[in-house]
Amino acid sequence: MPASVNLGAVFTFDSVIGRAAKVAMKMAVDDVNADPRVLSGTKLNLIMKDAECSVFLGAIGAFQALEEGIVAMVGPQSSSIAHMVSQIADALQVPLVSYGATDPTLSSLQFPYFFRTIQSDLEQMIAVADLIEFNEWKEVIAVYLDDDYGRNGISALRDELENRRLKISHKLPLSIQFDSNEITTLLNQSKSFGPRVYVVHINPDPKLRFFNIANKLEMMTKDYVWIVTDWLFATLDSFSPVNQTSLSVLQGVVGFRQHIPDSRRKRDFVSKWRNAHKGVTNGGLNAYGYYAYDTIWAVARSIDGFIKVHSNITFVVNNTNKPSHTQGNDLQLDKLKVLAGGFELVNILLQSNFTGVTGRLQFNSNRNIISGGYDVININQNAMTTVGYWSNCSGFSVIPAEILKSKKCKRLTQGQKLGNITWPGGGTERPRSWVIAGNGRALRIGVPRRVSFVEFVTVKDHQIQGYCIDVFNKALEFIPYDVPHKFIPVGDRKENPSYDALVKNVADNVYDAVVGDIAIVTNRTQYVDFSQPYATSGLVIVAPIDNARTNAWVFLQPFTADMWCVTAASFVMIGVVIWILEHRVNDDFRGPPKRQLVTAFMFSLSTLFKTNQERTISSLSKMVMIVWLFLLMVITASYTASLTSILTVEQLSSPITGIDSLISSNWPIGYQVGSFAYSYLTDSLYISKSRLVQLGSPEEYAIALQKGPSRGGVAAVIDELPYVELFLSKETGFGIIGQPFTKSSWGFAFQKESPLALDMSTAILKLAETGELQKIHDKWLCKMGCSEERTSNSKPDQLHLISFWGLYLLCGAVTLASLLVFLLRAIRQYARFKQQEKDIAVSPSSEPSSTSRHCSQVLINFFNFIDKKEEAIKKIFTQCDNPEPQVR
């Protein structure tokens, strides 16, 4: 067992991180040497080398430490130095354990001997991206140090934002030795950008130069959002209480600090720290000091495990060292030796699992410490306030990560929560995160200079006006900030401009937006963003109409022939059935045959008008009438509705019944200049370009339609619904055939990812909810009265028998049942009547008759019986049942 082992440490002594780490590592070495459970009988020596913030000096320091036979190396805190030193450590198989190098790329397979006891910037950038998404911001500006630490950290942020469909709109790199002039230039440059959310990822800066200059440039106001990584709070934690007054320039800043859970070990460590710093409360101690302390313990425990297995530590000559020495300096490269069993020490280190002052220390497969999360800190009124916590397991919460981990790990967007944050300027309302024209330049808004349908948008007397312009201007009133803009008319005053080219100019940054009657179609959405639609559109067919086709027999059209036949038969049936049921009991249905026939027929027809002069007496008749009148009510209402629809629908004289019949014909088709209808008809419906006729105004529409295809005109015009409605409000004799065969809308076009598109969409929804959108529509498009949509049907829908067969079946069943009951009653009475005749009459002998003659005689007698009034029959029955006494 060796008497002592050497441990190297390369870091910058005079730095925010280095000052805390130096003291913490010395305290850790003392504690390890005083603990008999670790490296018992072996003294741990710490060999420290100053890198002085230089990659070159850091590499020299690493070589110097390695010459002294170190078993492992701790540090450096700089990611750039760590890249260099890692390659040296890998060559000599010496583990390099860093408490400060946070560059995510250090965890790659390129550096198998590199360990990190502090959270990687990959974890921190996930937290930053979550905060941006949590506040619903879409774009940010990244300010970073232009070295491995800064570039790779921001690269990780970019990837995380892209996963959330967010983005870094501008990157502002700072040189490693940045000064006040460089910061001033950079921040002034950023004022011309739209986004106002800044992510600042630089090295700890005790002078807070960055925010002092931002404050002087009036960039710490309510229009700005500042998000910082853990460099700021490492800086602030190292301040003495006197220097806490510097927090005034940081009002509203939000950032992250490595989360270190409260524990007895942490409190004991802080107590020792205070004693070492002569009572200055937490003087110079920051998160990196805690992690440096635990790093020494992690390495010491691993070395202890290694010695228990191998009993000793040995080095072997590095055969790759060709020169025996290096002239001009003190480095003796031939003294550099490879640690025997270095890879085994790496495996032991990888299995570390103990509780330190920072909490549980364990490494994952990438040799990074398992994330403990971050504190979310907000600076308000010269104080640092913890407004929540973040962990990769549960996202944002007001509960510390170690408590959440004891529960089920759920990362739900709706469950994310933070305390109240005070933003720059002192407000607590979430900033909107961007401004319009920060450089004083007004938005360039292209406007089509229409020469037809000028009610929508045009230039008149050097003024931009129209329906679309009024909608846009009214929507601006609902946007809670000023939007400086200028309208730029586009067109040659001879014909309408190409709308596809106009929208393409937005993507090419010729214009910031286009306002007008812009149809939202698929190919345009590929390179611009549209607002919420403010008008419903779609392509329709316009053709001549003729109202003279209504004829004298239109009243027959509501029903089909089958329906008419069944309805007529039903009237006859009801007349016959009611006569049968009422004939024996109702004098109104008795008399000469001619009278009875007229009565039955008139009674049936009069039910249609509810004016029956004859009343029904039989209960069976009443039951039949209830069902019949219900059927009649339904049929009458349906007939009335269908006839009304037929009489109010205008029939078209054109043989065109829809887009399919128009495509199959060879007739010419008119379209509006500049409309997307041309490309749709040729590219989507494959209509020959030779059939398409360009029309420039509503007057040309009317002339071409009136001429027709035979006289050099067109059979129909295809255009968007709003144009057609305006055309029909001024012209008669034309109408819309069928329904719109495409569905689209009008909106305002903005550059991709423009935040104004979202705010404009919200404003348009408010216009619709308040009724302002409809008022603007009526103002411009209903000056001569709004036209009712004239829609044709190739053939009006008729009422078929199948729609009413259930009612007819019910009526027939009730009628048949009533007749059956009536017949059974009549047969019963007739049988009783014949029995009483036999009992009373004296039957003389008669000659037998044939069977057929007997049956016919029975039927005749039966019909004669039921022809008698039922009242007379009942009187006969009564006399037979009560015979008068004979007088003697």
Side-chain angles (χ1 to χ4, degrees), residues 852-883:
S852 59
R853 184 178 179 184
H854 176 72
C855 290
S856 61
Q857 187 63 41
V858 169
L859 289 175
I860 293 172
N861 292 339
F862 175 74
F863 283 113
N864 289 333
F865 172 78
I866 62 174
D867 186 52
K868 295 180 181 180
K869 196 170 183 180
E870 188 173 3
E871 185 179 352
I873 299 299
K874 289 182 178 180
K875 188 177 292 185
I876 294 174
F877 290 162
T878 302
Q879 291 177 355
C880 292
D881 294 335
N882 302 295

Side-chain angles (χ1 to χ4, degrees), residues 456-532:
F456 292 102
V457 57
T458 192
V459 181
K460 184 176 182 181
D461 299 330
H462 304 289
Q463 295 290 325
I464 308 291
Q465 61 181 23
Y467 165 66
C468 304
I469 301 301
D470 279 7
V471 172
F472 180 78
N473 289 333
K474 195 66 178 179
L476 289 180
E477 297 178 10
F478 288 85
I479 295 179
Y481 50 87
D482 184 38
V483 183
H485 63 279
K486 63 177 180 179
F487 291 124
I488 304 174
V490 181
D492 58 6
R493 297 184 176 89
K494 297 179 180 179
E495 63 180 23
N496 298 329
S498 169
Y499 279 51
D500 284 335
L502 190 59
V503 174
K504 190 68 169 60
N505 283 336
V506 176
D508 294 339
N509 200 32
V510 176
Y511 307 115
D512 297 304
V514 169
V515 170
D517 44 341
I518 312 297
I520 304 173
V521 293
T522 303
N523 65 316
R524 294 174 181 173
T525 59
Q526 295 175 0
Y527 44 85
V528 297
D529 282 344
F530 281 95
S531 67
Q532 172 77 17

Side-chain angles (χ1 to χ4, degrees), residues 105-118:
T105 63
L106 286 167
S107 300
S108 66
L109 297 176
Q110 181 183 358
F111 307 114
Y113 284 83
F114 178 84
F115 284 78
R116 184 168 14 221
T117 56
I118 194 169

Side-chain angles (χ1 to χ4, degrees), residues 822-836:
F822 170 82
L823 186 61
L824 291 175
R825 287 177 57 190
I827 292 173
R828 178 174 173 275
Q829 289 180 351
Y830 178 71
R832 181 181 176 188
F833 174 77
K834 296 302 291 182
Q835 183 63 40
Q836 289 184 355

Side-chain angles (χ1 to χ4, degrees), residues 181-459:
N181 291 333
E182 185 178 356
I183 297 172
T184 302
T185 302
L186 211 64
L187 292 181
N188 277 327
Q189 175 189 348
S190 72
K191 285 185 175 181
S192 63
F193 306 147
R196 284 295 182 264
V197 178
Y198 290 77
V199 177
V200 184
H201 185 55
I202 60 178
N203 280 334
D205 180 16
K207 297 179 180 180
L208 299 177
R209 291 170 294 171
F210 186 89
F211 283 105
N212 277 310
I213 294 173
N215 191 55
K216 290 178 182 178
L217 295 177
E218 298 182 351
M219 297 179 69
M220 301 300 293
T221 63
K222 64 177 181 179
D223 290 331
Y224 292 84
V225 174
W226 295 96
I227 300 173
V228 296
T229 52
D230 64 343
W231 68 268
L232 178 62
F233 297 105
T235 302
L236 297 180
D237 287 340
S238 65
F239 282 179
S240 65
V242 178
N243 291 332
Q244 293 290 335
T245 55
S246 301
L247 294 178
S248 59
V249 300
L250 300 172
Q251 171 68 34
V253 173
V254 178
F256 297 89
R257 178 172 60 193
Q258 306 275 347
H259 176 68
I260 300 174
D262 187 32
S263 66
R264 182 181 58 80
R265 287 185 177 85
K266 179 183 176 181
R267 291 192 294 269
D268 292 344
F269 176 73
V270 172
S271 178
K272 291 181 181 180
W273 185 276
R274 289 174 180 173
N275 294 332
H277 286 75
K278 300 179 180 179
V280 178
T281 304
N282 214 25
L285 177 60
N286 52 45
Y288 292 91
Y290 293 104
Y291 284 106
Y293 181 86
D294 278 352
T295 300
I296 298 297
W297 272 100
V299 174
R301 287 173 178 271
S302 300
I303 295 173
D304 181 59
F306 183 86
I307 292 175
K308 288 180 179 178
V309 174
H310 297 278
S311 301
N312 202 355
I313 295 176
T314 58
F315 295 89
V316 296
V317 176
N318 185 4
N319 294 326
T320 61
N321 294 335
K322 300 298 183 183
S324 60
H325 65 276
T326 303
Q327 297 180 354
N329 57 49
D330 294 333
L331 292 178
Q332 300 295 322
L333 296 182
D334 59 331
K335 294 184 179 180
L336 297 180
K337 297 181 180 180
V338 176
L339 175 63
F343 192 74
E344 187 173 348
L345 178 59
V346 165
N347 289 330
I348 295 174
L349 187 59
L350 192 60
Q351 296 173 10
S352 298
N353 186 358
F354 69 95
T355 301
V357 296
T358 59
R360 201 71 186 168
L361 192 148
Q362 290 177 274
F363 293 103
N364 58 26
S365 59
N366 293 325
R367 304 173 307 283
N368 290 321
I369 190 175
I370 295 178
S371 175
Y374 290 86
D375 300 334
V376 184
I377 309 295
N378 177 218
I379 300 178
N380 180 32
Q381 297 180 351
N382 292 337
M384 293 186 291
T385 305
T386 301
V387 295
Y389 306 90
W390 179 90
S391 73
N392 210 352
C393 174
S394 56
F396 292 110
S397 173
V398 293
I399 303 173
E402 63 273 12
I403 297 178
L404 286 177
K405 283 186 177 179
S406 63
K407 302 178 181 179
K408 188 176 181 180
C409 180
K410 290 184 178 180
R411 188 179 173 85
L412 302 176
T413 302
Q414 61 269 26
Q416 307 286 299
K417 185 178 181 181
L418 286 175
N420 293 328
I421 296 177
T422 301
W423 303 101
T428 56
E429 184 178 353
R430 178 186 300 165
R432 68 172 182 273
S433 79
W434 69 283
V435 296
I436 294 291
N439 59 355
R441 178 179 63 82
L443 284 180
R444 302 159 299 170
I445 299 180
V447 176
R449 188 195 295 267
R450 295 194 60 88
V451 296
S452 64
F453 296 106
V454 294
E455 290 85 353
F456 292 102
V457 57
T458 192
V459 181

Side-chain angles (χ1 to χ4, degrees), residues 103-152:
D103 177 4
T105 63
L106 286 167
S107 300
S108 66
L109 297 176
Q110 181 183 358
F111 307 114
Y113 284 83
F114 178 84
F115 284 78
R116 184 168 14 221
T117 56
I118 194 169
Q119 296 177 89
S120 165
D121 275 341
L122 177 59
E123 293 289 324
Q124 184 167 207
M125 293 310 170
I126 294 174
V128 173
D130 279 352
L131 182 63
I132 294 168
E133 183 182 33
F134 178 80
N135 287 283
E136 300 177 359
W137 297 321
K138 303 299 181 183
E139 300 179 25
V140 299
I141 297 173
V143 182
Y144 61 97
L145 207 62
D146 195 10
D147 64 356
D148 292 331
Y149 157 74
R151 287 192 301 270
N152 294 331

